[in-house]
Amino acid sequence: MQDSLSKAFHQDGAVLVKGLLTPEQLARCREAFDWAVANHGPHATRMFAGTTQQSHVDNANPKAKDKLEALVASLPFGELFARVWGSRQVWYFAEEVFLKAGGHGARTLWHQDTSYLPWAGNHWGNAWVSFDAVPKQNALEIIRGSHRGPRYDGTTFADPDDPTQPLHGNGALPRLPDIEAERRRNPQAYDILSWATEPGDVVLLHPGSLHGGAPVDAAFPSRRTFVFRFFGDDATFSPLPAKSAARYPRQGVLFTEELGHLVAGDAFRHPTFRQLI
């Protein structure tokens, strides 16, 4: 029988795990986070670096790969996801680094990670580790159950006046709804999950879930978050649209060569991804 944490993850697409990481584990994560910000990789996007008002996002930094794989192997995520998914095997995919500082950071637009990465299946999970106590109004928001579909086109993140501007276009995927506009008209339009968190708490998120938010403001001026991504037995390759206006390769922009041999429906596997269990 599934325990309550597993049942909630499969039904809702996200759960909060209170106090998962010890202070010592969190300190090692913070040391690795600071190193990753200072030694960014080829996929990093940065604004106002070196000032009080900073924004930094990075994914799958090859310079951090060995360091982060060793760190993740020492943390309880493998056992946790095996239990949550009911998976016999668990692999680590890569990290995502988020830094917002200076008290001026608009909310992240609603999106699904699966609009940008070639992922399908039930056994995917992002572990959100924030190093600050995050108030609910500054927290990540998730639409309950949205990981079950549909898979929407991604937003370009390029036009603040059009938060649903299609990434791939050509009608290959359905266009995102304007969730914030609908919420302004009807605050109950969506069933939203969101939690205030303390250091050591971890939010587990299925990357197919519609999620966004997590702004900073004068009352909560800085947010530092490490996201570790994992997959298990039921993880398959789902290529991105072949004719993408963004010219994304079908296997996405991360580990493009390693995933080049996979076709739709294949088990998502490659030796480059460290197996934890």
Side-chain angles (χ1 to χ4, degrees), residues 35-36 39 60-73 92-95 255 258 270-275:
W35 185 94
N39 298 272
N61 180 357
K63 293 185 288 187
K65 190 175 190 297
D66 292 342
K67 179 188 294 287
L68 294 183
E69 285 180 351
L71 171 65
V72 166
Y92 171 58
F93 177 79
E95 85 289 356
F255 303 104
E258 290 86 348
H270 191 276
T272 196
F273 303 117
R274 178 156 179 170
Q275 185 169 356

Side-chain angles (χ1 to χ4, degrees), residues 193-266:
L193 294 168
S194 184
W195 300 276
T197 58
E198 297 293 329
D201 298 347
V202 178
V203 174
L204 306 185
L205 166 74
H206 188 291
S209 299
L210 282 162
H211 59 284
V216 295
D217 52 32
F220 181 69
S222 299
R223 180 174 65 86
R224 292 165 282 261
T225 301
F226 234 156
V227 181
F228 300 112
R229 292 163 154 170
F230 303 87
F231 61 97
D233 296 342
D234 182 20
T236 57
F237 180 80
S238 179
L240 300 180
K243 296 181 178 179
S244 170
R247 299 186 178 180
Y248 269 42
R250 66 184 188 88
Q251 61 269 48
V253 298
L254 303 180
F255 303 104
T256 301
E257 293 184 7
E258 290 86 348
L259 302 177
H261 67 290
L262 297 179
V263 299
D266 280 355

Side-chain angles (χ1 to χ4, degrees), residues 171-207:
L173 295 170
R175 186 166 179 157
L176 274 168
D178 192 339
I179 294 167
E180 285 305 291
E182 293 182 32
R183 291 176 78 189
R184 286 192 291 272
R185 291 191 294 268
N186 174 14
Q188 306 305 317
Y190 292 93
D191 188 359
I192 304 292
L193 294 168
S194 184
W195 300 276
T197 58
E198 297 293 329
D201 298 347
V202 178
V203 174
L204 306 185
L205 166 74
H206 188 291

Side-chain angles (χ1 to χ4, degrees), residues 76-99:
F77 292 122
E79 294 85 353
L80 176 63
F81 276 111
R83 166 190 157 197
V84 166
W85 292 328
S87 181
R88 296 181 64 183
Q89 302 172 98
V90 176
W91 290 267
Y92 171 58
F93 177 79
E95 85 289 356
E96 189 164 19
V97 177
F98 289 112
L99 166 66

